[in-house]
Amino acid sequence: MRRLKDMFYVFVCVTTCVLFVTAVYVTIFFQKAVFGVEILWQILWVSFLCSIANIFYPQREVSKKTMMFFVHWSLYSDKCDCFRVRLLV
């Protein structure tokens, strides 16, 4: 039940933000723009896909020590070449 509530919360937040930002952007840059109904369905579809992404994240809390380990590892793992992209000159 908690995952369903989280998914609905993300869906509502993404939909609201996208509609607001789209309205502001269109008002500023394209005053005379006319859109079809398809844009509304696209916004709903993208919001749904964003809310589905919550399924892939664990529902447990991560300790501060574990979080700091991952932050430290991601910032200072330059000694490991396994994820580095090599540029050929």
Side-chain angles (χ1 to χ4, degrees):
M1 189 66 171
R2 174 149 169 96
R3 283 188 187 253
L4 191 59
K5 286 182 182 179
D6 289 343
M7 285 176 55
F8 184 71
Y9 177 74
V10 170
F11 177 79
V12 169
C13 289
V14 170
T15 304
T16 304
C17 292
V18 168
L19 284 174
F20 179 72
V21 170
T22 303
V24 170
Y25 183 79
V26 168
T27 303
I28 292 172
F29 294 109
F30 303 104
Q31 288 90 14
K32 305 222 185 230
V34 176
F35 295 109
V37 180
E38 302 88 30
I39 190 75
L40 297 174
W41 287 109
Q42 290 171 3
I43 290 171
L44 291 175
W45 180 245
V46 168
S47 300
F48 176 72
L49 291 177
C50 290
S51 65
I52 289 294
N54 279 343
I55 294 174
F56 301 114
Y57 292 107
Q59 290 293 320
R60 63 181 177 89
E61 299 258 340
V62 179
S63 69
K64 185 176 180 181
K65 186 177 181 180
T66 306
M67 183 63 73
M68 291 308 293
F69 170 76
F70 284 116
V71 168
H72 179 75
W73 181 79
S74 64
L75 291 175
Y76 300 110
S77 65
D78 60 337
K79 297 183 179 38
C80 177
D81 288 338
C82 54
F83 296 114
R84 192 174 299 171
V85 176
R86 297 182 187 269
L87 298 174
L88 299 174
V89 180

